[in-house]
């Protein structure tokens, strides 16, 4: 208000001047005033800083031919499409578009393709060590996929996975040495060994729950280790039992041997992925998804025999683990005692937790990370175990469900932030809170209040000593723009509590009253002050209205 | 007959050491819900603490033993600060905590290996080389000392849990962690007490076992697995059950060694544990309803 005199005085053109009203000049001087559109723009402006992230707007959408039906490829002979595609219409252009609802098959295909062509693109210097590690990766990833079936799908917290593999490997090696079995028999026999051990280990699982079972299987693992290392039949002295028949011919070139091992490990991984998909994604998996931990009673009440499904999954994966054990024996010509050690269990748990428990991609990616750290970066020495331990700590401290849970975790976090931002800009809605707005029947009222608030904000900026002085000089007639806008607002105010001038004695006594706004209820007197002239009363009324405006 | 008694005493000696770890595992599980698989690391940590104290500070056996207990306390609190406190309010706490303790034992074992090397270390004999002969059975001071110091430790811990304010807090946490936190018992504070006490027990067992056997970065593994098995058989959360289970397994060890041979100890032990668990899924002294829901 005080700096108003320093501003340049403007003039206001009176649009009503053409009618020739008395005193209706073409132009009158007016104090500096703010553009009324500005407050509208300010209110409408989106003040929260936004970055270009989003769930749908930046998702790739391929164009769709409007006339031709999509070219849907299907897995023969099922009706299942190769990629889950959904047709949508672009919200702006209304063009039909296709989005891939689930891109994981694409990533799986690309990563497996990369593994398949790995031997041809690796530089010669690293080829041998990397391919050896690749074979190990295939075997461990298959074991971990079966383990994921047990822990994730069946929900049985078993730590005896490597014990089954190891027992199968040792027994088949022993049989191969003593009975001269060919290599292709080993996985077959391993399946029976796995089944036998699966039955033995599954028995307590029916009675015990959760971590009691985990601790028991940890002990069983130790039992197997002690049994194998102390028994005479399994070569107690040499650190392992070797001498089984193998599919790798010693007479081949070293690179051929490595390649055969690599691709056999790769084939095992593919087989394990298929097993995972057909157990986890089909009937058994669906049944068990209905019976997660602590909701078993509900599943049972729904008629789901979840115990039977759990044991079935456990036995299936035990058979698979036995198969892998036999394969392991044929791959390495035997097995080392290492497979029973606590260290192996820790490494296996690291593999499945880093990627995310219960997911195939998590198991495979976690195995890849650990195998690369453990087998490829050997020159790091013991530090690699410290790194693995730190990765495990990071995973449990900061991630909800491993690396592959990051996507969901990030989206949850973003939604939370979005909600916070939304609640922080409630003032955009004007006078009314959202929960009040839903209860208001007349929605126009919401917008009126919002507009009213904006207008009052704007008019407050116009009030200055100059317009008060101008109004005192001439309460009626042509005013400057600022005063005219303020007066227009006051005149069209609501009837309840609207100030009016009451004439007590004409030309002598005037008082200010307020209308009740209700039919039949008389106005009330607001002050006892008596004005001598009607102009003074007009100005007193104007001052009261300004006071109300500034206080609101 | 004499060598059977000798074996039984041997079994009880070993069982009293493993029993300490079993009680530690049991208390940690029932009070904190933490499945602590890093007792192997705490064991080696305490053993090396005692060894360092013996080397660099003072060689008196009793002092070394107390330094082992102190190092166990430090190890336990370390695990509590690294794993329990950051993780205890996160979803899936039990599995997270278990993997966290495994990670700690992985890192800790490697650090111990880096600093002390794979060569085994031996602690001095704490109880001298005296012998007592009671009815043809020779008892060495070593065995008597081990049994008595474990019993003293266990008694102190049980008395402390029964009669002190902190013990009351821990018992409240065992009964119902949510209700305990509602009446103002701090989960984190109690966690530190629990881990300190159980660390002390592990430290004592480390000191006792390392004087008979040896000490290496991973020597805590077998005692931990044995302790976990005993705790499992006795019923997680029950001190009494753990003591009973330790005695039963000690007898089992003695009898199996006598009649079947030492190789079959673990097999009969696990057969016994599995049979007990099939009959009573929560162990000997565990009651189904009162057991902690993780």
């Amino acid at each position: 208000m005080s700096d108003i005199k320093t501003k340049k005085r403007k003039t206001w053109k009176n649009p009503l001047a053409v009618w020739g009203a008395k005193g209706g000049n073409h132009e009158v001087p007016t104090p500096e005033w703010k553009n009324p559109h500005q407050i509208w723009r300010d209110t409408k402006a989106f003040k929260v800083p936004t970055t270009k992230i989003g769930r749908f707007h930046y998702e790739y959408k391929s164009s769709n031919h409007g006339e031709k039906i999509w070219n849907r490829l299907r897995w023969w002979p099922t009706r299942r499409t190769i990629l889950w595609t959904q047709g949508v219409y672009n919200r702006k252009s209304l063009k039909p578009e296709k989005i891939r609802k689930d891109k994981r098959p694409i990533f799986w295909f690309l990563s497996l393709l990369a593994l398949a062509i790995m031997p041809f693109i690796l530089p010669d210097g690293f080829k041998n060590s990397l391919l050896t590690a690749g074979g190990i990766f295939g075997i461990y990833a298959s074991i971990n996929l079966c383990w994921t079936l047990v822990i994730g799908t069946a929900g049985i917290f078993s730590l005896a996975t490597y014990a089954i593999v190891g027992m199968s490997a040792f027994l088949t090696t022993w049989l191969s040495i003593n009975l001269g079995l060919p290599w292709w028999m080993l996985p077959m026999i391993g399946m029976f060994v796995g089944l036998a051990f699966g039955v033995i280990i599954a028995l307590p699982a029916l009675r015990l729950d959760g971590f009691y079972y985990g601790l028991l299987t940890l002990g069983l693992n130790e039992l197997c280790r002690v049994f194998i290392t102390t028994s005479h039949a399994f070569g107690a002295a040499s650190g392992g039992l070797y001498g089984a028949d193998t599919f790798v011919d010693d007479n081949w070139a070293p690179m051929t041997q490595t390649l055969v091992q690599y691709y056999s490990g790769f084939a095992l991984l593919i087989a394990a992925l298929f097993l995972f998909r057909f157990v986890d994604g089909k009937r058994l998996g669906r049944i068990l998804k209905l019976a997660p931990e602590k909701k078993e009673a509900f599943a049972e009440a729904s008629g789901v025999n979840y115990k039977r499904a759990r044991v079935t999954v456990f036995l299936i994966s035990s058979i698979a683990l036995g198969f892998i054990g036999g394969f392991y024996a044929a791959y390495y010509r035997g097995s080392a005692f290492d497979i029973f050690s606590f260290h192996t269990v820790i490494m296996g748990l690291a593999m499945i937790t880093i990627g995310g428990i219960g997911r195939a991609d998590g198991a495979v990616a976690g195995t890849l990370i650990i195998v690369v750290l453990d087998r490829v970066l050997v020159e790091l020495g013991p530090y690699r175990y410290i790194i693995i331990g730190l990765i495990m700590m990071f995973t449990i401290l900061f991630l909800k469900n491993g690396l592959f849970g990051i996507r969901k975790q990030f989206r949850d976090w973003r939604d939370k932030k979005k909600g916070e931002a939304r609640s922080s800009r409630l003032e955009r809605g004007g006078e009314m809170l959202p929960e009040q707005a839903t209860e208001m029947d007349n929605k126009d009222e919401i917008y009126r209040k919002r507009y009213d608030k904006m207008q009052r904000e704007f008019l407050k900026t116009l009030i200055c000593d100059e317009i008060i002085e101008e109004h005192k000089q001439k309460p009626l007639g042509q005013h400057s723009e600022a005063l005219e806008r303020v007066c227009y607002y006051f005149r069209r105010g609501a009837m309840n509590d609207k100030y009016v001038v009451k004439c007590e004695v004409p030309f002598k006594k005037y008082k200010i009253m307020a209308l009740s706004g209700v039919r039949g209820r008389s106005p009330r007197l607001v002050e006892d002050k008596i004005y001598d002239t009607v102009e003074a009363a007009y100005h007193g009324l104007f001052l009261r209205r300004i006071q109300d405006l500034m206080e609101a | 007959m004499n060598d059977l008694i000798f074996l039984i005493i041997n079994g009880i000696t070993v069982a009293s050491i493993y029993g300490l770890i079993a009680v530690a595992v049991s208390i940690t599980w029932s009070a904190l819900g933490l499945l602590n698989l890093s007792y192997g690391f705490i064991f080696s940590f305490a053993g090396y603490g005692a060894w360092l104290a013996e080397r660099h500070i003072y060689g008196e056996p009793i002092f070394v033993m107390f330094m082992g207990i102190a190092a166990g306390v430090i190890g336990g609190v370390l695990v509590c600060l690294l794993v329990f406190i950051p993780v205890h309010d996160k979803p899936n706490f039990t599995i997270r905590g278990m993997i966290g303790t495994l990670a700690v034992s992985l890192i800790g074992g490697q650090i111990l290996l880096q600093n002390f090397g794979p060569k085994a270390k031996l602690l001095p004999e704490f109880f001298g080389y005296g012998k007592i002969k009671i009815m043809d059975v020779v008892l060495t001071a070593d065995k008597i000392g081990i049994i008595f110091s474990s019993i003293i430790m266990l008694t102190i811990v049980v008395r402390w849990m029964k009669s002190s304010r902190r013990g009351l807090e821990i018992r409240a946490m065992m009964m119902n962690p949510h209700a305990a936190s509602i009446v103002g018992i701090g989960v984190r504070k109690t966690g530190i007490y629990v881990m300190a006490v159980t660390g002390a027990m592990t430290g004592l067992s480390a000191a006792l076992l390392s004087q008979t056997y040896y000490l290496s970065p991973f020597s805590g593994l077998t005692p931990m697995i044995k302790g976990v098995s005993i705790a499992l058989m006795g019923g997680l959360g029950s001190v009494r059950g753990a003591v009973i289970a330790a005695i039963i397994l000690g007898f089992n060890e003695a009898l199996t060694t006598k009649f079947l041979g030492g190789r079959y100890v673990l097999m009969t032990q696990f057969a016994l544990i599995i049979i007990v668990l099939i009959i009573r899924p929560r162990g000997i002294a565990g009651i189904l309803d009162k057991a902690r829901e993780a």
Side-chain angles (χ1 to χ4, degrees), chain A residues 471-476 510 531-540:
Chain A
H471 189 271
K472 195 177 180 183
Q473 299 296 332
K474 193 169 75 171
L476 299 177
Y510 295 92
Y531 297 92
D532 296 337
T533 59
V534 71
E535 282 79 13
Y538 282 149
H539 188 63

Side-chain angles (χ1 to χ4, degrees), chain B residues 21-23 33-34 53 56 75 79-80 95 114 123 130 139-140 159 170-171 173 181 191 212 223 234 257 263 291-292:
Chain B
I21 298 179
V23 172
L34 178 67
H56 298 292
V79 171
C80 182
I95 189 163
Q114 289 263 298
L123 289 182
L139 291 174
T140 54
R159 289 304 303 166
I170 294 173
R171 280 183 295 136
M173 285 280 291
S181 62
T212 345
T257 318
R263 278 177 42 210
R292 183 180 174 116

Side-chain angles (χ1 to χ4, degrees), chain A residues 432-441 443 446:
Chain A
M432 204 168 275
L433 289 170
E435 54 267 30
Q436 286 175 309
T438 53
E439 286 168 7
M440 172 77 68
D441 287 331
K443 301 297 176 203
I446 302 168

Side-chain angles (χ1 to χ4, degrees), chain A residues 393 396-397, chain B residues 79-90:
Chain A
M393 284 302 278
I396 61 144
L397 289 183
Chain B
V79 171
C80 182
L81 294 180
L82 284 176
V83 180
F84 177 71
I85 287 183
V87 167
H88 74 91
D89 49 0
K90 291 205 160 69

Side-chain angles (χ1 to χ4, degrees), chain A residues 157 207-209 211-212 215-216 219 222-223 226 294 342 349 353 357 382-383 385 389 396-397 399-400, chain B residues 35 87 90 94-96 98-100 102 107 110 114 221 225 228 232 266-267 270 278-279 281-282 294:
Chain A
F157 201 82
R207 289 280 287 175
L208 295 175
D209 49 21
F211 294 90
Y212 291 77
L215 293 181
L216 183 72
E222 179 75 0
L223 168 67
V226 173
K294 290 183 184 167
F342 191 59
L349 266 181
T353 45
I357 288 178
Y383 289 109
Y385 296 116
I396 61 144
L397 289 183
L399 300 184
K400 258 186 191 155
Chain B
L35 208 57
V87 167
K90 291 205 160 69
T94 320
I95 189 163
R96 262 171 210 264
M98 194 195 82
I99 290 162
L102 282 176
I107 298 173
Q110 292 299 327
Q114 289 263 298
L221 215 58
I225 289 174
V228 164
L232 197 62
L266 268 177
M267 295 185 105
F270 274 98
I278 285 175
I279 297 166
R282 303 269 173 156

